[in-house]
Amino acid sequence: MNCHRTVKTDSPEIKKLVALPPDATPFPKRQVYTVEDFVFFSHARHRKAGVDCKECHADVASHDNVTLEIPVTMKSCVACHNARHASVTCNTCHELGQ
Ligand code: HEC
Ligand code: HEC
Ligand code: HEC
């Protein structure tokens, strides 16, 4: 909750969140963007390569709720890897028969 004491404090939903007692369980956690466990994914690698959050999550920072605007598919991963000359060999994202 540290972030939302300073980030987007004018949002009605964030105000509700900040007003909760510290031990409250405000909402069931539900991950919107997700990959199966047979896929390697690391935010750090993408941040290091200068890939902006928006390229994978659209303009999430301006919304009150996280919705899946850009689906996470192998096609979308590979399309960008091709465009940016990042590796597209299967083992980059999967451990196949190793
Ligand atoms: C190259 C694409 C890509 C970029 C760039 C990226 N993300 Fe992600 N993000 C993903 C994927 C894929 C997942 C799901 C990962 C998983 O399940 O392990 C994810 C998951 C998340 C989640 C959890 C979302 C949920 O639904 O619960 C957050 C929060 C997040 N990213 C924030 C960020 C922020 C902030 C940045 C920029 C600093 C960023 N991401 C940049 C692809 C990306
Ligand atoms: C918008 C562009 C973009 C998207 C979308 C994207 N990537 Fe990447 N990815 C990159 C770039 C750029 C690099 C850095 C390549 C480098 O360091 O040379 C990278 C690096 C990686 C690496 C590290 C590669 C290595 O050589 O170690 C992995 C693993 C990876 N991406 C997995 C994924 C997966 C899985 C997805 C889809 C969920 C995804 N990426 C979506 C641009 C993208
Ligand atoms: C840049 C990352 C990336 C690369 C490279 C990649 N994949 Fe994937 N792959 C994914 C992601 C993400 C998923 C899960 C999402 C989906 O099914 O679209 C996936 C899913 C799969 C699945 C499961 C499909 C299903 O319907 O459940 C298979 C099989 C697969 N990949 C094989 C391969 C093979 C073979 C290669 C090499 C030719 C490869 N992948 C290269 C990211 C990648």
Side-chain angles (χ1 to χ4, degrees):
M1 262 308 291
N2 287 331
C3 303
H4 286 307
R5 292 191 195 289
T6 50
V7 175
K8 225 170 141 49
T9 50
D10 53 340
S11 150
E13 296 302 321
I14 300 294
K15 277 182 185 152
K16 277 191 237 164
L17 208 54
V18 172
L20 290 167
D23 58 347
T25 311
F27 45 77
K29 290 195 180 69
R30 183 174 63 90
Q31 196 166 332
V32 176
Y33 286 86
T34 173
V35 288
E36 304 280 345
D37 60 5
F38 60 84
V39 179
F40 298 137
F41 179 81
S42 143
H43 275 104
R45 292 302 302 256
H46 291 94
R47 187 190 275 261
K48 218 171 116 192
V51 185
D52 195 83
C53 313
K54 282 185 188 168
E55 295 194 57
C56 299
H57 298 298
D59 197 12
V60 66
S62 71
H63 303 329
D64 281 342
N65 296 310
V66 178
T67 52
L68 189 65
E69 290 174 81
I70 302 177
V72 182
T73 62
M74 179 164 144
K75 210 175 158 187
S76 62
C77 309
V78 170
C80 181
H81 277 217
N82 276 325
R84 303 287 185 95
H85 308 291
S87 168
V88 291
T89 58
C90 312
N91 286 349
T92 304
C93 305
H94 308 292
E95 190 172 67
L96 298 173
Q98 293 171 64

